[in-house]
Amino acid sequence: MKTSKSLNIRDLSFKYISGTGPGLGLVVSKKYGGSVQRNLFKRRCRSVFKTTVIDTKILCSVVVRPNKQAVSLRSINESFALLYNQLLD
């Protein structure tokens, strides 16, 4: 059985397993905000995950959790870019 690795990058926490098919899990509690804010965060993460992981054909499964409320798109992009660099190592 493979074990997952954890990373805290800027405003997001990641747990990932390399070598499996591409997959994304999102954990966003009600403390983050209302349903509109939570769903916006999820849509943004899905979009960035698709461009950084799926389109580059990296095989890993990732679970994302925000560390604070109102995470911006810029912060999500930067966090996923740093995760991408970590996955390539």
Side-chain angles (χ1 to χ4, degrees), residues 18-30:
S18 297
T20 62
L24 176 67
L26 298 162
V27 179
V28 187
S29 72
K30 288 186 179 180

Side-chain angles (χ1 to χ4, degrees), residues 8-13 27-33 37-38 41-42 44-45 64-76 78-79:
N8 284 323
I9 302 175
R10 301 190 186 233
D11 299 331
L12 301 178
S13 294
V27 179
V28 187
S29 72
K30 288 186 179 180
K31 291 180 184 178
Y32 184 81
Q37 288 84 15
R38 291 193 312 267
F41 173 78
K42 292 177 196 178
R44 287 176 172 174
C45 284
V64 182
R65 174 179 286 172
N67 291 334
K68 68 172 197 169
Q69 293 179 345
V71 179
S72 67
L73 179 59
R74 182 178 184 179
S75 180
I76 293 171
E78 291 170 356
S79 297

Side-chain angles (χ1 to χ4, degrees), residues 12-67:
L12 301 178
S13 294
F14 295 98
K15 270 196 166 180
Y16 65 94
I17 298 176
S18 297
T20 62
L24 176 67
L26 298 162
V27 179
V28 187
S29 72
K30 288 186 179 180
K31 291 180 184 178
Y32 184 81
S35 61
V36 174
Q37 288 84 15
R38 291 193 312 267
N39 290 331
L40 177 63
F41 173 78
K42 292 177 196 178
R43 281 194 308 272
R44 287 176 172 174
C45 284
R46 283 186 203 109
S47 174
V48 174
F49 179 78
K50 182 184 179 311
T51 58
T52 58
V53 177
I54 294 176
D55 290 348
T56 57
K57 298 188 180 11
I58 293 178
L59 296 177
C60 74
S61 295
V62 180
V63 176
V64 182
R65 174 179 286 172
N67 291 334

